[in-house]
Structures are given as C-alpha cells and as structure tokens.
Amino acid sequence: MGPATARRIVERFGNDTLEVFKFYPKKLAEVKGISEDRAEEIAAEFNEKWGLWQIVEFLEKFGIGPSNSKKIYDKLGANAVEKIEDNPYILVDIAYGVDFFKIDKIAINLGIEINSFERIKAGIKYALLLASYNGNTCVEEKVLINFVKDKLNASEEYIEENLISLKASDEIVLESRDDETDWYYLKPLYTAEKNVAERIYMMNRSKNVKHIDNFEKELAKQEKSLEIILSEKQREALKGVNENNVSIITGGPGTGKTTIIKSLIDIYKSKKKKVVLCAPTGRAAKKMSEATGEEAKTIHRLLEIGKIDDDRLSNVDADFKPIDADVIVIDEMSMVDIFIMNYITKAIYLGTKLVLVGDSNQLPSVGAGSVLKDLIESNTIPTVNLDKIFRQAAKSDIIVNAHKVNNGEMFVDKKEREESNNDFFYINEQNVEKIVSQIVSLSTGRLSKYGDYDFSKDIQVLTPTKKGALGTKELNRVLQENINPEKEGKKERKYGDITFREGDRVMQVKNNYDIFWDREIDGFYETGTGVFNGEFGKIEKIDNEEKQIKIEFDDGKIAWYMFSELEQLELAYAITIHKSQGSEFNVVIMALPQAAPMLLTKNLLYTGITRAKKLLIIFGSGNVVKYMINNSDSKKRNTGLKYKLINILK
C-alpha cells in the first residue's frame, strides 16, 4: 500500500492497528479507499509478512537493518529468531557488513563459551571477510591466527583446530605458495581467482579464430581514413589485439588509448566482426560511447547480472548467458574487482577476443582484488604500456601534471611551458575558511570568464574525505546553501543529517535493481527498472503528501523514491575522489585538506586530476600536495591471481 493509505489506517485505529490487521481485518474497510475485498487482501499479506517484521525488530539489537533482515528471513525461514538465538554467529555467513563484535557480545551473554567451535569458526570467517572489505582476497596464516587470537581472546590451539575443521568443510581454502608462505581464503574468493586464472589461460591457448590477415594493410587504411599517423606503441597495441585472444592496453591520459579503441572498432567492423564495448559504471560507459561514437554498456547490463552481484559470496559459481561478440573491449579496467572479472570470463566464448583497457596507476577497485595490476604483473598476457603524451594532449596542463604526479614530481611551473591550454590552476592555501570561500565563489559564477559553465552540468567539487570542513558532508551543506538555498515554496525533506531540497544535485550510492523509471529520448518513450551506484541526478519534485521524491538522472531517467528509500541518495555538489572514479567532468574543483595518511596517496591525487576534461583548480597546502605525490605506498592488497596465472601449469 502507499504511504497515504498507511497513514489513514494508523489515524483511524491508532495503537490498535496491529490488532485490527491480525484479528479484525474487515474493519480496514472503514478506511476511505479500502473495499472489503481489499481489506482481506491487505490483512492476508500482513500476516504472511508478520514473521519478517518480527525479525526486523529482533535484529535491531544486533545492529542489522531492514534490508539485511529480509535476506536473513528469506534464508532461515519462519523459525529465524529461534535459530539465531541457538547460534547468533550464523549471521556472519548471511548478512553483509554485520558487526561481529556486537553479535559476539550478545552470544556470550546467551552463554556461548569463549573457545566454542561456533564462536571461533565465525571469528575466522569474519576476519577473512573483513580483509575482503579492505580489498584483499586472502590473509597470511600467521596474521589471521594473531588477529583472531587478539580479537577473540581465544586459544591458538583452538584456532588451529577450527582452521582444520573449516578447510574440511570446504568453507575456507589454504594456498601454500612457492615462497613458503601460507594464505587463507574464504572459498568463494579463492574460487573467483581460480576461475579467472583458468579461463584467461584457456582463452589465451584457444585458436585465434578472429585473426585478420594482412593486418599492416588494414592499419595503413585506418591511418588514411582517420588522417593520423599511429605511433609505434599504438601499432603494437593493435597488432597485439590481432595476434592474441587476450590483450591489455594501459596508459595515462593523452597517450592515445581512445584512438586505439576507435581504430580497433573500425578495422574489425570493416571485416564484419561484432565489437562490444563496456565499462564498470554508467558514467564510464557513457564516456566511452561519447569518445568512440559507438554504444557502450555497463558490465552489469551487458551480463544482465542483476541482484546476484549483491550476494557475491553465494553466487561465485553462477552461470551467464555468453556474450554475442567477436571482440569485447572493457574500459576503466582498474575499477574491475575479482568477482566482476569472474562473471566476465564465464560469459566469453573461447575464440572471442578480450581487450582490457585501463590505467593501472588509478585507484584500485572498491571490491576485493587487484585484477588489472595482477594481470599485468603476471607477464602472462601481452601488454602494451602507452607512455608517450601526444602533442595535442601535451598542451594540456591537466594531462602534463597528471603524468608529473605519476612520476613522483611536483606540478609543472607554467613559466617553463611554451605551449599551454592554461587549464590547470594550483592555489597553495592551507586556511580552510579561505578555501571554502573560494570553492563557493568558483561554483557560483566566478568561472564565467573561462567558459559558459553551469554547476549542475559541468562542475564537480572533489575531496579525499567525507569528514571535516573540507569533507563532502560539510562542503555539500555549504554549497547547497549557496547554489540552491532555502526558499518559500521550494519543498524539502530531512533524512538523517541531510536536508534534500527541490533542485538539489544528488547521487545514488547503492544499487537498486527494482526501482521503476521512465524516460523520453528523441520522441521515444522508454521504461525500465534499476538505478545504480554512482548515477547523478537532480531532485525535480518533493511530494510531502505521498511522501515521495521525483529525481531526473543525467541520462534522462525519471524515478520516484519513497521517503523511506532516501538512504540510497546523497547530496552530490561535492563527492569523494573514490566516488568520482570512472567519471569525467568539464570542470573539477579539488580540495586537498589534511586527512588520514591512507587517504593522501599518489594514486588518489592522480585519479582526481584525471577526472577533469577542460579545467582543474586544486586547493591545498604545498605540504599536503608533496606528501601525496611522495606517498606511493598505497595499501598493498593481498591477492593470489598473479600467483595462480604464473603457476597454472604446475
């Protein structure tokens, strides 16, 4: 039922509402808009869901929200509460992101022993799960034992016994490597790595059925048609695609990756071959489409992944409909984690060419794994690293400085530049109030002399952190106040500590596969479901009566959100650099405050710089910038894909 009907029911029956649903359903027909037949339907559905509602209330004390509660109810059934009371640790296996230590405290209060098998097994699995949240696929044995021993105050003897038991039940896997180190995996993470390594090996070994003869001749035609001269590295990359079933093309901005993709499309299409383009996010796919003039899909849409991606640990062995293509090109490969790579390799026919394009110096994937880096470092896949900046691109201070940062050097001195687009400005400032004032000024019209820039369409503020005066939360509040202030007649809705207002720029921050949307493009009306993490939109209308918000997304989709669904949205005047990956903006204004060292890394700065297309303005103290440029020790991820690729024949 809608919120208006629900409200009328509660207004009519007050504290007796639940009693009416359960025992006197016909009384619901006393409420305007509910017939007797509808009253019985509503009551029947209520009683069917009563078990779910009970578990929602029960799980609140474990710090588990409604969406995870439904998942737990679906898995454990009507007796979920009793099963959890018998062994609260089963929640670690079912609910993503649970607080193990809250569960542990309740379990001990229920009388579960410190060294009980249930407790230590759950502690081991939680430690491996926690490592995966930080990007690792595995944990070294001694580190794992010490973590569990320290956090659970458990005996090492019992931990080792439980490791043996978990291996025997096939819940975890031990990988003993050539360097005499032992690594533990959750079984699904091990399986994902093993699947990828085996499929890549098989693809590489398969017959090259899509090979084009007289390829040099095709390259000459391509140069003539595009009126360009391909560099040696570009020619090498294109030949590599022709000679191999799997190939990697990597390089920074301005090094010619897009020219290679366009040439590749033209050559293979001229031979009646089907080329499929895809990228990890909607914005990255849109960028790929704009650069090539060809349709590019998100990997999720291409594979029709749907909800299985929200339960990756249970769906690692899922099968996918094979992709109908002769050549598949994946852009922004640095964003692809081990689970997505597992899905991709399962969906490719042997003989189809796979071309992986990316920049290994950008931030790694949000999910577990270090796929692009591991593939390159394994030296098992032909890789071309584009390191030459083309003359046109070399005029851009954005591109030149991106490469400077990547090489561990400070920003270029403009006096040394003969030719420059004047598209990069660094303001050495550490006073936070001055930086905020400058950001507001630049976001509200001061950039007009540089171009006709509209904030909602062209400008994006980036920062490494969510916290502090230069974090996303505070910057969003200040920018909203100045760009879209409170006004009589302009409706708003508070959710948590965020006030959403008509006209606000927002971002979807989690996948919603079920939400309905419609849009009109070139006179054609289209409907569908699904809005995904990272999509930007604008609040068009807030309906306080029906408790809904209407959002138009940048690609024209229009969707309505219930007020109860607003946890899926955040204000997007300012976003973190992590959230910007895979996107490009005409203008980027970047704040670099003092923050946790793990956030102030070279690849974070490099990623932020490479988000700007036409203009980049950076604020921050020289000390912070120098620290980031020199901090190339981004947290190393513990993975085993490289090892598996190298040792696949052993």
Side-chain angles (χ1 to χ4, degrees):
M1 69 180 74
T5 305
R7 188 168 58 250
R8 286 196 293 271
I9 291 171
V10 174
E11 285 169 356
R12 171 71 182 82
F13 300 112
N15 290 337
D16 296 328
T17 298
L18 298 185
E19 292 295 306
V20 170
F21 271 109
K22 288 168 76 176
F23 304 115
Y24 311 105
K26 288 186 178 177
K27 280 192 171 187
L28 292 169
E30 296 172 17
V31 175
K32 182 184 174 185
I34 300 179
S35 67
E36 285 194 12
D37 286 346
R38 179 69 182 128
E40 288 186 8
E41 280 176 22
I42 290 170
E45 190 169 347
F46 173 91
N47 287 310
E48 188 185 320
K49 299 269 176 71
W50 180 242
L52 171 59
W53 293 349
Q54 281 182 304
I55 200 169
V56 168
E57 185 181 10
F58 171 74
L59 289 172
E60 272 183 349
K61 64 185 178 186
F62 291 94
I64 295 171
S67 58
N68 264 332
S69 297
K70 183 177 186 309
K71 187 176 168 187
I72 291 163
Y73 180 75
D74 289 344
K75 289 227 176 176
L76 299 181
N79 298 323
V81 172
E82 291 86 345
K83 288 175 184 174
I84 293 165
E85 283 178 332
D86 285 345
N87 177 16
Y89 297 110
I90 60 174
L91 294 171
V92 173
D93 288 331
I94 300 171
Y96 181 84
V98 294
D99 185 340
F100 171 83
F101 299 107
K102 194 173 275 190
I103 293 168
D104 190 43
K105 190 175 177 183
I106 292 168
I108 287 170
N109 288 339
L110 288 171
I112 287 178
E113 295 289 327
I114 292 273
N115 285 319
S116 74
F117 270 35
E118 292 90 350
R119 180 172 186 262
I120 296 175
K121 279 182 183 176
I124 290 167
K125 287 194 279 187
Y126 177 72
L128 293 169
L129 202 56
L130 198 60
S132 77
Y133 298 159
N134 292 317
N136 305 291
T137 60
C138 52
V139 178
E140 196 172 356
E141 182 179 46
K142 60 186 178 185
V143 174
L144 178 62
I145 290 171
N146 287 337
F147 178 88
V148 176
K149 187 178 171 183
D150 178 50
K151 296 295 181 186
L152 272 64
N153 195 25
S155 154
E156 191 166 327
E157 179 190 345
Y158 282 107
I159 295 169
E160 287 173 351
E161 278 182 32
N162 279 281
L163 284 169
I164 293 166
S165 173
L166 285 166
K167 278 191 290 176
S169 61
D170 211 24
E171 293 175 77
I172 65 172
V173 176
L174 174 64
E175 183 173 78
S176 297
R177 297 186 187 164
D178 297 343
D179 60 0
E180 298 184 354
T181 57
D182 291 328
W183 297 84
Y184 276 102
Y185 289 79
L186 286 171
K187 178 67 185 293
L189 282 157
Y190 180 83
T191 301
E193 277 192 355
K194 185 169 175 286
N195 286 349
V196 170
E198 288 176 352
R199 288 291 296 179
I200 292 282
Y201 174 77
M202 286 166 66
M203 288 163 70
N204 261 333
R205 299 274 293 180
S206 295
K207 190 175 179 183
N208 188 355
V209 293
K210 310 297 181 185
H211 182 272
I212 294 174
D213 295 331
N214 301 316
F215 199 73
E216 286 283 356
K217 189 177 169 185
E218 297 303 325
L219 288 178
K221 278 189 202 170
Q222 193 58 29
E223 287 180 318
K224 190 175 179 182
S225 117
L226 290 178
E227 297 181 343
I228 58 165
I229 297 173
L230 294 166
S231 72
E232 278 308 307
K233 281 285 182 81
Q234 287 176 316
R235 295 172 76 85
E236 184 188 339
L238 286 163
K239 285 179 188 174
V241 172
N242 190 45
E243 296 300 325
N244 302 281
N245 286 332
V246 185
S247 52
I248 296 173
I249 301 164
T250 184
T255 56
K257 295 194 297 291
T258 302
T259 300
I260 292 171
I261 296 172
K262 284 164 79 172
S263 299
L264 186 154
I265 294 166
D266 288 350
I267 290 168
Y268 281 90
K269 278 179 74 175
S270 74
K271 299 297 178 184
K272 303 291 188 286
K273 306 287 187 191
K274 184 176 179 182
V275 180
V276 167
L277 308 179
C278 62
T281 65
R283 289 186 74 88
K286 185 182 177 190
K287 184 177 80 170
M288 199 180 188
S289 293
E290 288 168 352
T292 62
E294 299 285 332
E295 183 192 16
K297 294 181 178 179
T298 63
I299 295 169
H300 283 71
R301 190 171 151 218
L302 178 66
L303 299 179
E304 298 176 1
I305 289 173
K307 292 183 184 178
I308 72 160
D309 194 36
D310 280 350
D311 192 8
R312 297 166 159 211
L313 294 176
S314 301
N315 289 301
V316 73
D317 288 318
D319 288 319
F320 295 89
K321 182 181 170 186
I323 302 164
D324 177 21
D326 296 300
V327 182
I328 299 168
V329 183
I330 305 176
D331 199 9
E332 296 287 356
M333 260 303 295
S334 61
M335 298 177 72
V336 173
D337 64 38
I338 194 64
F339 285 112
I340 297 294
M341 195 63 187
N342 175 46
Y343 302 153
I344 291 164
T345 53
K346 278 170 164 277
I348 296 177
Y349 283 117
L350 293 180
T352 296
K353 287 185 178 293
L354 177 62
V355 184
L356 308 175
V357 183
D359 185 347
S360 57
N361 294 305
Q362 285 190 28
L363 291 166
S365 58
V366 174
S370 186
V371 175
L372 181 61
K373 195 163 177 280
D374 282 356
L375 291 172
I376 292 169
E377 290 183 356
S378 73
N379 291 318
T380 59
I381 299 168
T383 300
V384 174
N385 180 25
L386 304 167
D387 50 12
K388 176 191 170 187
I389 307 175
F390 283 86
R391 187 171 180 276
Q392 195 58 36
K395 292 180 184 178
S396 167
D397 291 338
I398 295 170
I399 289 173
V400 169
N401 281 310
H403 286 273
K404 282 266 187 189
V405 167
N406 196 34
N407 293 330
E409 301 170 37
M410 192 55 188
F411 304 142
V412 70
D413 184 343
K414 289 194 179 187
K415 293 172 188 172
E416 298 171 6
R417 303 268 288 145
E418 289 181 17
E419 285 187 287
S420 168
N421 290 348
N422 216 28
D423 56 2
F424 179 101
F425 297 91
Y426 165 56
I427 293 90
N428 185 344
E429 178 61 74
Q430 55 187 358
N431 184 295
V432 171
E433 289 78 16
K434 285 183 181 176
I435 292 174
V436 171
S437 172
Q438 293 262 40
I439 289 172
V440 169
S441 170
L442 289 164
S443 300
T444 52
R446 198 172 120 208
L447 287 175
S448 57
K449 66 177 181 179
Y450 290 96
D452 184 19
Y453 294 127
D454 173 78
F455 188 92
S456 64
K457 291 177 186 168
D458 300 298
I459 302 171
Q460 185 60 58
V461 177
L462 301 181
T463 174
T465 181
K466 291 182 177 181
K467 299 174 182 174
L470 291 175
T472 53
K473 289 187 178 178
E474 186 59 21
L475 283 174
N476 271 316
R477 187 192 66 76
V478 172
L479 287 166
Q480 181 193 47
E481 203 174 89
N482 285 274
I483 293 168
N484 187 33
E486 189 177 354
K487 187 179 174 184
E488 190 178 343
K490 190 182 280 187
K491 297 193 182 94
E492 54 185 51
R493 172 71 185 180
K494 194 166 175 62
Y495 188 89
D497 56 358
I498 301 174
T499 298
F500 291 104
R501 190 173 292 143
E502 288 175 341
D504 274 340
R505 183 152 175 76
V506 292
M507 175 192 259
Q508 179 85 8
V509 293
K510 56 174 71 172
N511 291 335
N512 182 334
Y513 300 95
D514 299 320
I515 195 162
F516 174 84
W517 54 260
D518 58 8
R519 67 178 163 200
E520 188 178 331
I521 298 177
D522 299 328
F524 291 96
Y525 187 69
E526 182 186 8
T527 63
T529 56
V531 177
F532 301 102
N533 189 354
E535 293 197 49
F536 289 87
K538 182 181 178 184
I539 296 177
E540 294 292 330
K541 183 179 180 182
I542 296 177
D543 187 333
N544 286 314
E545 184 66 28
E546 291 297 322
K547 299 192 184 306
Q548 290 181 313
I549 287 183
K550 177 186 179 185
I551 295 172
E552 180 172 355
F553 288 91
D554 286 359
D555 61 359
K557 292 196 302 275
I558 291 173
W560 286 86
Y561 287 70
M562 306 299 293
F563 284 175
S564 59
E565 296 175 308
L566 293 182
E567 81 218 4
Q568 299 174 31
L569 299 169
E570 286 180 1
L571 293 176
Y573 298 99
I575 62 173
T576 62
I577 295 170
H578 277 90
K579 280 286 185 189
S580 75
Q581 198 171 359
S583 301
E584 272 189 342
F585 310 94
N586 284 333
V587 179
V588 166
I589 302 167
M590 187 163 29
L592 299 176
Q594 289 283 356
M598 62 183 289
L599 290 174
L600 300 179
T601 63
K602 182 168 79 173
N603 62 0
L604 190 91
L605 177 58
Y606 175 78
T607 300
I609 290 171
T610 53
R611 300 310 91 206
K613 284 167 72 177
K614 295 182 179 177
L615 187 62
L616 172 65
I617 303 152
I618 299 177
F619 293 95
S621 79
N623 288 337
V624 169
V625 173
K626 282 172 189 166
Y627 181 86
M628 292 181 84
I629 289 170
N630 292 322
N631 184 15
S632 54
D633 298 328
S634 353
K635 210 165 177 185
K636 183 183 179 298
R637 294 188 167 192
N638 295 317
T639 64
L641 178 60
K642 174 182 168 181
Y643 175 80
K644 291 177 180 65
L645 285 163
I646 292 169
N647 291 276
I648 201 155
L649 290 176
K650 289 186 180 177

